[in-house]
Amino acid sequence: MSPDEIAASMTGQIRQVSTTRAEAFLPSPVVQNHAAFLHLFKDGTLLCAWFAGSLEGKSDISIHASILAPGAQVWGAPQKLSHDPDHSEQNPVIFAAPGGGLFLFHTSQPAGNQDQCRIRMAALSRNLADNRLTLGEARYLDELPRGCFVRGPVILRDDGAWLLPLFLCVPQPGMRWIGSHDLAAVAVSTNQGASWQIESVPDSLGSVHMSPVALPDGTRAAFYRRRQADAVHRSVSTDGGYHWSAPEPTDLPNNNSSIAATRIADGRVAVICNLASAADSAARRQSLYDELDAPDDRPDAQGGCQPVWGVPRAPLAVCLSADGGQTFPQRIIIEDGPGTCLSNNSTDGHNRELSYPWILEGPDGSLHIAYTYHRRAIKYVRLAPGWASQPNDENDMSEIIGITMGDPAGVGPEISVKALAEMSPEDRARTRIYGNRATLEAAKAAIGALVDLEGAVVDLPVEGAPLPWGKLSPVAGDAAFRFIEAAVRDAEGGRIGCIVTAPINKEALNLAGHHYDGHTGMLRALTSSKAAYMLLASERLKVIHVSTHVSLQDAIRRATTERVLATIRAGHAHLRRIGYDAPRIAVAGINPHCGENGLFGSEDDAQLAPAVAQARAEGIDVQGPISADTVFHRAYSGAFDLVVAQYHDQGHIPIKLVAFDTAVNVSVELPIDRTSVDHGTAFDIAGKGIADHSNMNSAIAYARKLVAGKRTMS
């Protein structure tokens, strides 16, 4: 999603995107929103607090909050809870004292100087009539040294003392803070917050964002973000919180980004974090605050640990442990994407992080999650009860194929039901249709199928369903989008192994306010992917496209050496995955006869040939550029396994000529797998029961091949 699309979605409206998942973007009046914290009141009201302003570290950053009333489908209007015009106020923590009283803790720092930070504690009250929040008496905890920072929840020691997790940004005189000397500690209050004293966690250099959890055996475990971007660390207290062991690594990676932990009802520990570390990426930035314009000519702090900044902040996952947080075999992906965080700017579209999450389990077993979405918004996700029993660990690649029904007024419902009806009982059990049950029942009646749809449909509401066949409408366009969105979320969460899409109508989609050029662009946006390639596959001819839905003039401009090389690599990797040991690839030329040595254009020599040369240097068996008037025939005759086409019609025409009813559309390089039929909604025959479903059968067969390849590779 672009920053403008995110902003348009920040209504607070909760949308049911699948039967087990609901989502919302919280409302906010400002462009940067980060570091969510969730608190659940006893009456079921949910509070989300975060910091917001123009850019982290600037003095307009302040604490905001929104409330979700029990049973409500819209988050309340944002409320500003802090107002210091001279400091950046960050990292809210909400604490309900056992004897009564609600408190807000947050940080207050000048510019990017975390080593000069103070902690502010304020009484907080809620008006039950309108859910307005009001700040009461507040003070800075100046008995604590400068440089104290908060992020984790307040817990109670066995004697009832309050324990506020801290990390200490230890000042280095004359040098700029970069995180190199940060340590873990707790602030202890034995008098209900009237005064505090520090107790350090031993040998904790680089371990920050302490998140403590009470374990079933009476001990406590705490989990840490790491400045070194290596692994989530863990320490324990066996004496009720008086003393903590030195942090040691778990099997969870960490990218120097925040984590949160809780104990769920069945006794297991749940940690939400990014499954990434410095070992996974070479992306780096100088520091967290390298974009602030405040003058600072001090050198970076020396010594301590070597902090790592800039590792991508994705994917975001809930990880479950049955051994008190030592190992986390079950990892449920909440959302994936590029995770790019080389900039904190939330308006230029470069930041793609999914970070700083919070997590809590409700009394009904629902899981509530809030996290930073591209620094532009706070995203809320609610998972239905039973979420923790789903087999979603990293190595469990679901065999289930999810068919999205497509436009409810087109032939998608019919071909989906026809394909389901012809499946073996085993394959039918491994298939779900994301659509509308009433529409599918109407399609079933139209084709005279006897298949039982019970248990095979992820039923999503459509106003007025079944809609009239063959009629263009924004209702149908919105429904088609929601079917795809629900399937994407389940694919990201590992609940289905591959998506198979039935046709959508682009005009209906745009009428509904979903402005995409087709499935591929939509899927790229939903998964926050930088790139995706359209590959058309038939038995004897496969084609991958450098560009698709753009003008011919734009297509030629897009056929850069870098883009053509990336397309070659993507096609090569895909063929390797589906069983080709040494794929043979041909690159089609742009101009007649590949330009005939410059007589008909220079693009082939200047743009395509260098890409082919680089790919060959990487060990890829690729030839070209080869004149487009012969290369497809040669590939069809067996000389090549894949042709790289430079634009839409160059690749589509030969495929549709030789495999109009059987060619499969495959999205390559997305974080999820997707295949599709290669035809439209056919409004003119929709509802008549005569639509040919052979292309759908081919798309499903290819999807099962991808799932099998995924399981083999895992």
Side-chain angles (χ1 to χ4, degrees):
M1 298 175 70
S2 71
D4 288 343
E5 289 172 328
I6 298 170
S9 301
M10 292 168 62
T11 63
Q13 180 70 46
I14 297 176
R15 298 180 303 113
Q16 196 73 34
V17 299
S18 75
T19 55
T20 60
R21 178 178 175 126
E23 298 179 353
F25 287 102
L26 271 62
S28 173
V30 294
V31 297
Q32 183 148 121
N33 300 277
H34 190 44
F37 188 101
L38 291 171
H39 175 75
L40 188 65
F41 291 96
K42 290 181 179 180
D43 65 358
T45 299
L46 189 61
L47 182 154
C48 183
W50 68 95
F51 72 74
S54 62
L55 184 69
E56 180 175 358
K58 293 209 168 191
S59 60
D60 65 350
I61 292 288
S62 56
I63 306 302
H64 289 62
S66 177
I67 282 181
L68 181 67
Q73 293 303 307
V74 183
W75 281 85
Q79 306 178 47
K80 191 173 182 179
L81 299 182
S82 68
H83 310 273
D84 186 341
D86 299 318
H87 293 83
S88 183
E89 299 173 303
Q90 301 175 190
N91 289 16
V93 172
I94 306 295
F95 172 56
L102 186 69
F103 297 93
L104 165 67
F105 297 85
H106 66 82
T107 62
S108 177
Q109 69 186 62
N113 300 308
Q114 287 195 185
D115 55 359
Q116 297 301 309
C117 178
R118 294 190 295 170
I119 297 172
R120 183 170 179 257
M121 174 183 173
L124 191 63
S125 61
R126 174 171 67 106
N127 186 317
L128 298 180
D130 60 7
N131 274 326
R132 294 296 301 174
L133 299 168
T134 304
L135 286 182
E137 182 181 354
R139 74 178 186 92
Y140 290 99
L141 306 185
D142 285 332
E143 63 268 37
L144 301 178
R146 294 292 177 103
C148 288
F149 234 76
V150 295
R151 172 62 180 161
V154 179
I155 63 169
L156 300 180
R157 203 166 63 182
D158 275 1
D159 64 351
W162 298 0
L163 301 185
L164 173 64
L166 302 176
F167 60 99
L168 310 180
C169 303
V170 181
Q172 303 300 302
M175 291 186 281
R176 181 170 49 238
W177 175 88
I178 58 170
S180 55
H181 293 75
D182 292 359
L183 303 169
V186 291
V188 182
S189 177
T190 57
N191 51 14
Q192 290 75 53
S195 63
W196 300 82
Q197 62 183 23
I198 281 185
E199 295 181 1
S200 296
V201 175
D203 301 324
S204 60
L205 181 64
S207 295
V208 298
H209 290 201
M210 180 184 190
S211 188
V213 174
L215 301 179
D217 64 1
T219 63
R220 290 167 169 81
F223 301 88
Y224 301 84
R225 164 188 179 173
R226 288 276 290 178
R227 290 288 184 232
Q228 297 91 326
D230 47 14
V232 172
H233 277 48
R234 172 184 182 269
S235 68
V236 295
S237 173
T238 58
D239 60 2
Y242 283 89
H243 303 91
W244 296 86
S245 66
E248 297 182 351
T250 69
D251 63 351
L252 289 177
N254 185 252
N255 53 349
N256 192 9
S257 188
S258 193
I259 66 167
T262 190
R263 193 181 89 192
I264 61 175
D266 64 11
R268 286 185 289 174
V269 172
V271 170
I272 186 166
C273 62
N274 296 131
L275 296 179
S277 72
D280 302 320
S281 171
R284 299 290 186 270
R285 63 184 295 185
Q286 181 181 355
S287 71
L288 178 62
Y289 298 106
D290 49 19
E291 294 165 296
L292 292 181
D293 53 13
D296 191 342
D297 57 3
R298 294 175 300 166
D300 288 346
Q302 301 297 307
C305 68
Q306 181 59 54
V308 178
W309 301 96
V311 178
R313 293 179 169 184
L316 184 68
V318 174
C319 308
L320 296 174
S321 171
D323 59 9
Q326 298 178 72
T327 61
F328 292 83
Q330 187 176 356
R331 304 177 182 190
I332 303 170
I333 303 296
I334 301 303
E335 188 160 356
D336 201 356
T340 314
C341 59
L342 297 177
S343 165
N344 290 348
N345 189 304
S346 51
T347 60
D348 63 7
H350 292 153
N351 185 291
R352 297 293 188 89
E353 66 186 85
L354 309 168
S355 67
Y356 269 68
W358 203 258
I359 182 175
L360 63 83
E361 188 178 40
D364 65 348
S366 295
L367 190 69
H368 302 277
I369 301 168
Y371 54 95
T372 297
Y373 190 87
H374 301 187
R375 290 258 173 175
R376 185 65 182 85
I378 299 299
K379 187 170 183 178
Y380 167 72
V381 171
R382 182 176 64 224
L383 303 182
W387 63 271
S389 62
Q390 299 163 355
N392 299 65
D393 66 90
E394 282 188 311
N395 297 317
D396 179 28
M397 304 298 186
S398 176
E399 294 184 349
I400 295 175
I401 301 300
I403 302 171
T404 58
M405 191 182 81
D407 192 299
V411 296
E414 295 168 72
I415 61 175
S416 300
V417 172
K418 281 185 177 182
L420 188 73
E422 290 184 357
M423 291 179 190
S424 67
E426 294 78 15
D427 281 348
R428 199 175 300 152
R430 295 183 298 155
T431 305
R432 300 290 183 273
I433 301 177
Y434 287 74
N436 174 257
R437 179 70 180 267
T439 303
L440 291 165
E441 292 288 358
K444 175 181 164 182
I447 63 178
L450 299 177
V451 64
D452 185 2
L453 297 180
E454 188 64 36
V457 180
V458 178
D459 188 18
L460 297 169
V462 176
E463 184 181 355
L467 301 176
W469 298 113
K471 300 294 184 183
L472 182 75
S473 78
V475 173
D478 182 64
F481 173 80
R482 289 187 291 106
F483 302 155
I484 295 164
E485 183 181 41
V488 166
R489 299 305 172 223
D490 280 354
E492 289 178 324
R495 290 175 285 280
I496 58 176
C498 185
I499 299 172
V500 179
T501 54
I504 57 175
N505 185 286
K506 297 181 185 66
E507 186 178 355
L509 196 69
N510 278 269
L511 285 174
H514 305 295
H515 303 295
Y516 303 103
D517 60 358
H519 273 114
T520 304
M522 184 195 308
L523 292 166
R524 189 168 57 244
L526 287 173
T527 58
S528 299
S529 300
K530 289 182 179 178
Y533 302 91
M534 180 188 292
L535 185 147
L536 299 180
S538 68
E539 184 177 354
R540 294 178 58 181
L541 181 62
K542 294 178 177 63
V543 180
I544 189 170
H545 297 73
V546 175
S547 66
T548 50
H549 297 121
V550 296
S551 71
L552 184 57
Q553 188 177 46
D554 282 346
I556 294 172
R557 279 198 294 263
R558 293 189 183 199
T560 62
T561 299
E562 294 75 19
R563 193 179 183 100
V564 173
L565 178 59
T567 309
I568 295 170
R569 289 169 175 162
H572 178 262
H574 179 78
L575 291 189
R576 291 267 299 169
R577 183 176 161 196
I578 61 173
Y580 289 78
D581 291 331
R584 300 164 302 162
I585 300 174
V587 175
I590 295 178
N591 296 301
H593 309 294
C594 296
E596 200 78 66
N597 294 320
L599 290 175
F600 310 134
S602 61
E603 291 84 0
D604 296 272
D605 292 335
Q607 297 167 209
L608 275 56
V612 172
Q614 177 59 38
R616 291 181 66 84
E618 295 173 5
I620 298 175
D621 183 357
V622 57
Q623 297 182 34
I626 300 173
S627 181
D629 61 0
T630 62
V631 68
F632 295 100
H633 174 72
R634 292 175 62 184
Y636 184 75
S637 300
F640 304 110
D641 301 311
L642 177 70
V643 178
V644 176
Q646 303 305 318
Y647 52 91
H648 182 280
D649 285 8
Q650 187 184 65
H652 277 58
I653 290 172
I655 275 281
K656 294 200 172 185
L657 183 64
V658 301
F660 187 84
D661 293 325
T662 58
V664 176
N665 185 326
V666 186
S667 294
V668 178
E669 291 286 281
L670 290 173
I672 61 174
D673 284 325
R674 173 256 179 175
T675 69
S676 177
V677 298
D678 194 33
H679 61 75
T681 50
F683 278 169
D684 56 326
I685 62 169
K688 297 179 180 178
I690 60 174
D692 186 352
H693 64 296
S694 57
N695 198 198
M696 174 60 80
N697 285 341
S698 298
I700 292 170
Y702 203 101
R704 297 207 191 281
K705 185 187 298 185
L706 288 175
V707 169
K710 183 189 297 183
R711 297 183 71 87
T712 300
M713 291 176 69
S714 69

